[in-house]
Amino acid sequence: MVMNRREKILILTGSFGEGHQQAAKAIQEAAKIKYQNVETSVVDFMAWAYPNLFPISHFVYIQGVKAFPQLYGFFYQKTYQPTYFSKKLNRMFSVGIKKMLKLLQTEKPTVVVSTYPFSSSIFSKLKESGLTNVPLVTVITDHTHHSYWLHPCTDQYIVGSLETKQELIRLGIPAERIASTGIPIRTKFLRKSNRTELIHQYQLESNLPTVLIMGGGEGLIGKEFLTTKALEKIPCRLQLIILCGNNHRLRRHLEKNLIHSKHHIVIKGYTDNVEELMAVSDVIVTKPGV
């Protein structure tokens, strides 16, 4: 008896920004629920393809964003629309076709889903070269149509809003190739939380307005934003939960400098239970993305 090969979804992501990875995990969770007989695999392509170079490039990227945000903003805006400059810069970053082909031969997927723009770019070039006909689905993890996400051999786009869909249509992408679903979120955000139990669990004060401050997985929060002088100007006493992510230097700085604040302050590093902290918060202050 001939057995049909089991279908497989290969989800490509990147850790240059925690949101790409979380979207990939959300897609994997949803796929396992809806397609129980389909195998799923999540691969951080840059880390997989360049294990020795990746830690250095990741460090340089994060430090560059922290030290030179204006330069990052300049290149972001300069490449926002598909232009000659954005296409040239995209080609420079889209190295790794041989590595992508090797991954494809190893994983043997039925479909590739990408939550990282440069993974989409490399895979699109692989298709453009005629080296594969595996369908490519790009999940845009921002409420934007930045040119880094848009590649000619993409079979389907998943976008976060109708506005983004309309922008892609304006750029010439057929409407039937775009699905507006919202940005994928983890299934744990769908669970109901008991606020009273969570307040006790995290040793919080139940009678204070609670503000959750997040800077993403890399803890991109300006130190000037959270100083004792700035916080003391707030007339009422608050409860501040500050998530520093993997930014250990920021966490040590805040623990040292906010120790005498009048507010009840809880400082944490990276957490995988952010949905619980959101459930106990009245207001969330965070960044739009990197």
Side-chain angles (χ1 to χ4, degrees), residues 76-249:
Y76 184 88
Q77 292 299 328
K78 195 73 174 177
T79 57
Y80 193 83
Q81 300 292 345
T83 61
Y84 176 82
F85 178 72
S86 68
K87 290 176 183 177
K88 283 290 184 182
L89 201 60
N90 195 31
R91 285 196 193 99
M92 184 177 72
F93 285 116
S94 300
V95 296
I97 287 182
K98 289 183 178 179
K99 293 279 188 178
M100 184 66 79
L101 184 58
K102 181 181 178 182
L103 178 62
L104 191 64
Q105 292 168 343
T106 301
E107 296 287 335
K108 296 180 174 60
T110 312
V111 62
V112 169
V113 179
S114 173
T115 67
Y116 188 59
F118 296 127
S119 295
S120 296
S121 175
I122 298 168
F123 198 84
S124 176
K125 284 179 170 56
L126 199 68
K127 297 187 68 174
E128 197 173 355
S129 303
L131 297 173
T132 182
N133 60 356
V134 173
L136 170 62
V137 179
T138 291
V139 181
I140 299 180
T141 60
D142 299 311
H143 289 287
T144 180
H145 61 283
H146 195 286
S147 65
Y148 282 169
W149 288 104
L150 311 180
H151 306 289
C153 291
T154 303
D155 298 280
Q156 183 76 39
Y157 288 97
I158 308 295
V159 300
S161 66
L162 288 173
E163 289 79 9
T164 306
K165 180 177 181 176
Q166 292 302 318
E167 288 297 332
L168 265 60
I169 293 172
R170 184 182 62 80
L171 292 171
I173 298 171
E176 61 270 17
R177 288 171 51 195
I178 312 165
S180 176
T181 65
I183 295 174
I185 60 172
R186 304 285 299 275
T187 54
K188 58 187 178 182
F189 283 93
L190 304 177
R191 295 195 294 262
K192 290 185 178 180
S193 300
N194 187 312
R195 195 171 188 273
T196 303
E197 290 181 1
L198 291 175
I199 287 173
H200 177 73
Q201 176 183 330
Y202 288 102
Q203 298 180 331
L204 302 174
E205 295 185 22
S206 60
N207 61 330
L208 290 178
T210 302
V211 180
L212 175 62
I213 301 173
M214 305 187 295
E218 301 300 334
L220 299 178
I221 305 172
K223 293 179 182 179
E224 300 79 8
F225 173 62
L226 293 171
T227 63
T228 301
K229 183 178 180 181
L231 293 178
E232 296 312 296
K233 292 180 179 179
I234 301 173
C236 61
R237 188 166 179 261
L238 301 176
Q239 183 162 244
L240 303 177
I241 305 173
I242 307 171
L243 301 186
C244 299
N246 293 311
N247 193 337
H248 307 299
R249 180 180 295 181

